[in-house]
């Protein structure tokens, strides 16, 4: 890709690394007008990449790079265009927090280095420039291609990865990223965190917490056990005040409360309430026999 100014003046290296500062050399740091030209190059590269990938809008531009913590590897051919140089293409990478599915369908939270945009000028493709640029990035980042995540890779990029790095078996994702099988196998356990999907039926408690409550309630005698229907609640002065939120409501044992003494429902023969009723009945009989009516 040619420009109406000297590319070699902007980019001193064959492959220059740019970040949010848009500084490619000592000259561009000292001369603001050179940074304006660098911004022009990035904007035109972003437009060409979006057109090649049939994207509705560019995902790479100077303004985007200035507000994102990404790195852009820009490659030039300094000898072309009568010594003024041409831009061959670019590769943009950056770290992103992703929720990916492994082969078993388990959600994994990870923050890998991602390939975000990759473009080689059409008239310069199939000359080995793309492989050279990609290998330079791998060396600079000290990362294997299988440990990268790829954002919306084009069919050309997928074919490129299969041909040069034997990356063929990808794990289907619900987002636009592509990760390959060995991404989950080779990555250290400390870099992966399994994420449990929230379930509407168990909010705001986990299954383990709810099962513990159920087990505890099963061990209590009637009427201290929770009712079978989840929509019914036991109203009693012996119950604790409900806590904030929607915590499970529990009933405290209160065996001498008079509210239960005259309950006509069938009681368990070994329940504390039945013992309390029997004691009171015995006392009442004794008093009547002694003439204390």
């Amino acid at each position: 890709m040619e420009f109406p100014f000297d590319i070699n003046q902007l980019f001193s290296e064959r492959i220059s690394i740019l970040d949010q500062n848009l500084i490619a050399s000592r000259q561009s740091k000292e001369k603001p007008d050179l940074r304006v030209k660098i911004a022009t190059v990035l904007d035109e590269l972003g437009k060409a990449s979006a057109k090649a990938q049939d994207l509705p809008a560019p995902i790479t531009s100077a303004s985007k790079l200035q507000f994102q913590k990404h790195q852009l590897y820009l490659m030039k051919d300094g000898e072309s265009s009568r010594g003024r140089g041409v831009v061959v293409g670019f590769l943009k990478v950056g770290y992103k927090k992703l929720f990916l599915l492994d082969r078993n369908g388990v959600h994994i939270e990870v923050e890998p280095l991602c390939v975000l945009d990759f473009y080689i000028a059409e008239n310069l493709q199939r000359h080995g420039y793309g492989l050279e640029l990609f290998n330079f990035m791998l060396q600079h980042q000290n990362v294997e291609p299988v440990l990268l995540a790829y954002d919306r890779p084009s069919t050309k990029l997928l074919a490129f990865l299969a041909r040069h790095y034997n990356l063929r078996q990808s794990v289907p994702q619900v987002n636009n990223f592509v990760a390959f099988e060995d991404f989950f196998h080779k990555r250290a356990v400390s870099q992966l965190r399994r994420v449990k999907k929230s379930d509407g039926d168990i909010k705001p408690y986990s299954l383990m917490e709810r099962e513990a409550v159920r087990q505890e309630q099963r061990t209590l005698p009637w009427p201290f056990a929770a009712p079978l229907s989840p929509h019914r609640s036991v109203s009693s002065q012996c119950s604790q005040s409900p806590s904030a939120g929607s915590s499970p409501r529990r009933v405290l044992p209160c065996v001498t409360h008079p509210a239960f003494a005259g309950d006509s429902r069938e009681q368990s023969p070994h329940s504390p309430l039945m013992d309390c009723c029997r004691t009171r009945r015995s006392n009442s009989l004794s008093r009547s026999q002694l003439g204390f009516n």
Side-chain angles (χ1 to χ4, degrees):
M1 182 179 289
E2 296 185 5
F3 290 89
F5 41 77
D6 192 345
I7 293 297
N8 291 322
Q9 188 182 11
L10 302 179
F11 309 104
S12 57
E13 304 294 333
R14 178 173 175 82
I15 299 178
S16 300
I17 306 173
L18 293 92
D19 55 17
Q20 62 265 30
N21 297 315
L22 301 185
I23 297 174
S25 63
R26 182 177 301 177
Q27 286 184 343
S28 60
K29 183 177 181 180
E30 297 172 351
K31 298 180 179 180
D33 60 315
L34 296 183
R35 296 178 64 183
V36 174
K37 294 179 179 179
I38 291 175
T40 301
V41 172
L42 296 182
D43 290 344
E44 292 302 318
L45 285 173
K47 293 176 184 177
S49 178
K51 182 179 179 180
Q53 300 179 66
D54 293 324
L55 299 177
I59 58 176
T60 297
S61 66
S63 59
K64 291 181 188 298
L65 190 63
Q66 285 179 304
F67 290 98
Q68 297 168 336
K69 294 182 179 180
H70 298 157
Q71 286 187 316
L72 188 143
Y73 297 83
L74 188 144
M75 187 176 190
K76 71 169 186 177
D77 180 359
E79 298 179 359
S80 299
S81 188
R82 297 185 298 275
R84 298 175 60 184
V86 297
V87 176
V88 174
F90 74 98
L91 172 60
K92 186 175 71 173
V93 299
Y95 288 91
K96 283 185 172 293
K97 181 175 289 187
L98 303 176
F99 293 90
L100 301 177
L101 291 170
D102 65 9
R103 179 56 71 183
N104 298 321
V106 178
H107 279 79
I108 303 294
E109 181 183 0
V110 66
E111 192 170 359
L113 185 68
C114 303
V115 174
L116 304 173
D117 204 357
F118 188 22
Y119 172 73
I120 300 295
E122 283 80 357
N123 62 324
L124 297 176
Q125 293 179 7
R126 299 187 180 279
H127 287 75
Y129 291 121
L131 183 60
E132 181 184 352
L133 180 58
F134 203 90
N135 284 336
F136 181 92
M137 181 274 297
L138 294 176
Q139 241 182 352
H140 182 259
Q141 296 287 344
N142 191 26
V143 65
E144 299 179 51
V146 72
L147 296 181
L148 299 170
Y150 300 84
D151 184 13
R152 290 171 291 190
S154 63
T155 54
K156 285 186 177 181
L157 177 54
L158 292 175
F160 172 86
L161 296 173
R163 181 170 63 254
H164 296 293
Y165 303 105
N166 198 30
L167 296 179
R168 304 177 188 277
Q169 299 298 324
S170 63
V171 181
Q173 303 296 326
V174 295
N175 52 25
N176 294 320
F177 284 84
V178 168
F180 295 90
E181 283 190 345
D182 284 345
F183 175 91
F184 304 97
H185 300 155
K186 289 189 175 184
R187 191 168 292 274
V189 177
S190 60
Q191 296 175 299
L192 298 175
R193 188 169 77 87
R194 294 180 182 273
V195 179
K196 181 178 179 181
K197 283 190 67 178
S198 59
D199 191 304
D201 295 332
I202 64 176
K203 287 181 179 179
Y205 312 107
S206 67
L207 286 173
M208 184 178 297
E209 290 169 340
R210 287 214 166 191
E211 185 61 27
V213 172
R214 292 193 190 100
Q215 292 293 340
E216 181 179 350
Q217 290 174 342
R218 289 194 190 103
T219 60
L220 294 174
W222 186 96
F224 306 115
L228 296 177
S229 173
H231 301 291
R232 295 174 56 191
S233 62
V234 178
S235 175
S236 170
Q237 296 179 5
C238 299
S239 62
Q240 290 180 337
S241 298
S243 60
S246 55
S247 300
R249 190 175 181 180
R250 303 181 186 178
V251 180
L252 291 176
C254 184
V255 299
T256 61
H257 199 286
F260 289 102
D263 200 325
S264 61
R265 289 176 294 183
E266 183 180 355
Q267 307 282 339
S268 171
H270 300 291
S271 70
L273 288 177
M274 180 59 76
D275 293 339
C276 178
C277 292
R278 286 174 178 173
T279 302
R280 292 192 176 191
R281 184 177 300 173
S282 299
N283 292 339
S284 177
L285 290 174
S286 300
R287 291 171 61 89
S288 63
Q289 291 173 357
L290 295 174
F292 293 107
N293 291 339

